[in-house]
Amino acid sequence: MHGHRRQAGRSEIWWIIPGVVIAALAWHFYPVSEPAAPPTLQKATLLPQPRAIADFHLVDHHGRTLNLARLRGHWSLLFFGYTHCPDVCPTTLQTLATTLKRLDAVPTKPELPQVIFISVDPDRDTPERLAAYVPYFDTRMLGATGKHQELEHLARQVGIVYARSRAGKDGNYLVDHSAAIVLFDPDGRLHAVFGAPHDPATLAADLQAIQRHYQDTRR
Amino acid sequence: MRLHTRGLLAAVLLLITRAVDAAGLHVDGAWVREAPPGAAMLAAYLVVHNDGDRPRTLVSVDSPRFDFVMLHRSRVVDGVAHMEHVEQITIAPAGRVALQPGGYHLMMPAPEPPPRVGERIPLRLHFQDGETLQVEAPVRRAGDAP
Ligand SMILES: [Cu+2]
């Protein structure tokens, strides 16, 4: 007993413990007195204030209405593209599918986002075509499209642009479209934007940081 | 035993011929992205190496499996993804050009039946100087390890 107390390391520990206890108590009782610091993000851009958007009316790949109400109660990741796009779109959808699988493997079981691929090429991408195409990447992913007017209405509100471009060799047209992925929070508000290029590790890490921050600020 | 040796020898010879094919040009890492059901267009990727001392220019690609193959490029400009047709791709001496997701790629219409993982698709690359290079591209699901 005597010998132990004379060791410098030990005596310091006895001072640290009350310090930790006080800090923990302070943190527990005053979490709302100061807003939680914004999360450190690798890639995503957090909106200074989550942005409410006006309702929209699309059709998902099951033929059901996809509107703002269906974005509430869970996180959603939206990506805009078209199935005639052989490079950027399948690459991004594969990245999103891998992101879900990464999140599946996280021991703390983070809340999984609903991934939605919104086709901005409704003339060729019917809900039936999307029903075949989108679940190939991950059966939990949802495809949706709608009338041009409705698509533009939603796209504009979340900062996504798209436009038909010149015809290809076979008469097929191409569609230029924003490469960003947008994140909606469980209140159905635009919360963050992920700029391209995308990778699953960064998407998964940033999403979890944003989710933790969201929880902290609502405590 | 003798048969085995002969087979091995043939395989080695094949590899050697492929490596020194087409005077100073070689291709590796070729693959075709498996088409998701319903996809009308497909992409293929590869890396062209120019081992020579003069620039070489890829002008077209064809394949018995596709109606046509286009040289294409995806680019993200100010956050917007564009895809464009390119006339040719020049590879500098002792250089390489990678056709990879999000950049240069080959684009083809999906044939019926569509390529599935396990299939190997012949691609023939044509260069400006008349040289051609034949490669076999396995079909892969994007995200699979090469
Ligand atoms: Cu293309």
Side-chain angles (χ1 to χ4, degrees):
Chain A
M1 268 317 193
H2 232 80
H4 282 190
R5 214 183 270 171
R6 248 179 266 144
Q7 284 174 9
R10 265 300 165 99
S11 58
E12 272 159 29
I13 286 168
W14 295 112
W15 287 105
I16 290 165
I17 290 170
V20 169
V21 170
I22 290 165
L25 286 171
W27 180 79
H28 183 77
F29 285 108
Y30 302 103
V32 283
S33 62
E34 266 180 62
T40 309
L41 301 173
Q42 298 175 46
K43 193 79 195 290
T45 307
L46 207 59
L47 271 72
Q49 279 299 320
R51 186 193 300 161
I53 69 156
D55 201 8
F56 55 88
H57 187 277
L58 301 177
V59 182
D60 75 13
H61 76 239
H62 302 295
R64 289 175 58 206
T65 296
L66 179 75
N67 54 15
L68 192 56
R70 285 194 55 201
L71 299 189
R72 295 209 177 101
H74 55 82
W75 293 86
S76 309
L77 285 172
L78 275 61
F79 175 65
F80 294 70
Y82 65 116
T83 72
H84 275 64
C85 157
D87 183 44
V88 169
C89 298
T91 300
T92 307
L93 291 172
Q94 187 62 47
T95 298
L96 284 163
T98 307
T99 304
L100 287 178
K101 285 167 188 92
R102 265 180 176 271
L103 291 169
D104 282 337
V106 175
T108 53
K109 295 281 158 222
E111 215 184 304
L112 292 185
Q114 169 69 64
V115 174
I116 309 177
F117 175 60
I118 296 181
S119 170
V120 290
D121 185 16
D123 302 324
R124 293 184 297 196
D125 289 340
T126 58
E128 296 73 41
R129 188 191 277 265
L130 293 172
Y133 184 88
V134 179
Y136 165 85
F137 296 94
D138 189 300
T139 53
R140 294 168 291 188
M141 286 163 51
L142 194 64
T145 189
K147 295 197 181 82
H148 280 292
Q149 202 187 331
E150 288 293 331
L151 288 165
E152 275 161 27
H153 172 62
L154 172 61
R156 203 179 313 122
Q157 295 190 79
V158 299
I160 296 289
V161 295
Y162 67 93
R164 236 185 234 208
S165 84
R166 66 242 151 251
K169 209 184 218 172
D170 57 345
N172 270 328
Y173 57 86
L174 306 174
V175 186
D176 296 339
H177 56 91
S178 298
I181 294 170
V182 299
L183 175 69
F184 277 75
D185 63 30
D187 307 311
R189 296 172 307 177
L190 177 63
H191 202 97
V193 178
F194 297 84
H198 307 291
D199 81 274
T202 310
L203 270 169
D206 279 356
L207 178 65
Q208 290 176 84
I210 292 170
Q211 287 178 330
R212 279 192 298 269
H213 178 248
Y214 176 86
Q215 288 304 331
D216 288 350
T217 51
R218 316 188 102 224
R219 227 185 340 187
Chain B
M1 197 59 194
R2 186 171 287 173
L3 267 176
H4 275 139
T5 319
R6 236 185 245 177
L8 194 69
L9 199 68
V12 168
L13 275 174
L14 192 74
L15 279 173
I16 290 171
T17 38
R18 179 161 303 162
V20 297
D21 227 6
L25 284 166
H26 79 275
V27 168
D28 60 22
W31 63 287
V32 174
R33 184 195 295 277
E34 186 182 49
M41 304 306 286
L42 297 186
Y45 306 97
L46 45 84
V47 183
V48 191
H49 299 259
N50 180 0
D51 314 310
D53 51 11
R54 62 195 164 95
R56 307 295 287 269
T57 302
L58 176 66
V59 290
S60 66
V61 177
D62 65 46
S63 166
R65 194 70 166 83
F66 303 111
D67 289 345
F68 58 84
V69 179
M70 284 188 277
L71 297 182
H72 251 226
R73 184 184 200 179
S74 300
R75 282 197 301 166
V76 176
V77 181
D78 296 331
V80 179
H82 302 268
M83 207 167 49
E84 62 199 17
H85 176 75
V86 292
E87 291 297 328
Q88 54 188 43
I89 299 172
T90 299
I91 307 107
R96 40 162 270 173
V97 172
L99 281 69
Q100 60 191 13
Y104 283 120
H105 58 273
L106 304 177
M107 179 161 124
M108 309 78 75
E112 200 49 58
R116 286 285 164 248
V117 169
E119 188 180 339
R120 298 181 70 84
I121 294 181
L123 296 171
R124 197 165 48 172
L125 283 67
H126 300 268
F127 291 84
Q128 204 162 41
D129 51 18
E131 204 74 70
T132 64
L133 203 54
Q134 179 89 26
V135 289
E136 263 201 359
V139 178
R140 285 200 352 230
R141 212 185 147 105
D144 286 355

